[in-house]
Amino acid sequence: MQPEKFLFKDDGQIPNSPYPLLLYRQAFVARDAAGAAWLESKFAQHNWTNSWRNGVYPFHHYHSTSHEVLGVYAGSALLHVGGEAGQQVAVQAGDILVIPAGVGHKNLGSQGLGIVGAYPDGRAWDVNRGLPGERPQTDKNIAALPLPSTDPLLGKAGGLLTSWK
């Protein structure tokens, strides 16, 4: 299974990343509560933990203390990734996004959206909005992050390991 890849440059507010955002389309079949449980189990199997169930914030934001995976177990959404100069991407139940630290993401609108989020090694995450004063500390946080040792969906054989070298 090969993911779609999206690369975004630093726009001065959202740092983005030299690593691509990965989007696995229709990566799993379970939906609703069963889909959420499947995602939590699959992510934990590959050491992406500290999971939660919810949606995506309706404002541009990024994380500087962890990379993130989002698995869509219900509904659909139009996400704006990469900050204001980024790209709009439609996602639906069955899709999985692997978002490098620093890459902006925002929910532009959704219907019945259910997401499981998780982090490599169960890392703690922060929320940054591209506001004055966040940088350069967020840049230092991102630079200090180790690369994940596994892809959250495919483990040691996943796209993350080949795409994030």
Side-chain angles (χ1 to χ4, degrees):
M1 179 178 300
Q2 291 299 314
E4 294 176 35
K5 298 174 187 171
F6 301 86
L7 267 174
F8 305 103
K9 294 183 191 269
D10 186 330
D11 69 6
Q13 293 180 312
I14 305 292
N16 289 305
S17 177
Y19 304 119
L21 179 150
L22 305 176
L23 173 54
Y24 292 99
R25 297 250 186 220
Q26 295 306 294
F28 64 101
V29 296
R31 298 291 186 262
D32 301 315
W38 185 90
L39 287 164
E40 291 162 344
S41 175
K42 178 60 74 173
F43 295 162
Q45 175 186 347
H46 299 301
N47 202 30
W48 287 64
T49 56
N50 190 18
S51 66
W52 49 265
R53 296 181 189 187
N54 202 340
V56 176
Y57 294 129
F59 52 84
H60 287 293
H61 69 285
Y62 66 94
H63 310 293
S64 74
T65 57
S66 186
H67 308 291
E68 181 177 48
V69 62
L70 302 177
V72 184
Y73 64 84
S76 61
L78 181 61
L79 302 181
H80 195 178
V81 294
E84 204 52 47
Q87 186 172 342
Q88 294 182 13
V89 177
V91 296
Q92 62 184 340
D95 294 346
I96 295 176
L97 300 96
V98 185
I99 305 173
V103 172
H105 44 294
K106 169 185 179 177
N107 185 344
L108 294 174
S110 60
Q111 289 189 298
L113 184 64
I115 286 189
V116 168
Y119 307 91
D121 302 318
R123 296 186 72 86
W125 50 278
D126 60 357
V127 176
N128 301 283
R129 298 176 70 155
L131 301 175
E134 290 176 350
R135 298 171 84 175
Q137 186 58 53
T138 56
D139 294 331
K140 291 177 186 174
N141 294 347
I142 293 165
L145 281 176
L147 286 179
S149 60
T150 60
D151 181 285
L153 174 63
L154 302 173
K156 295 283 187 186
L160 181 151
L161 300 180
T162 56
S163 299
W164 288 17
K165 287 186 177 181

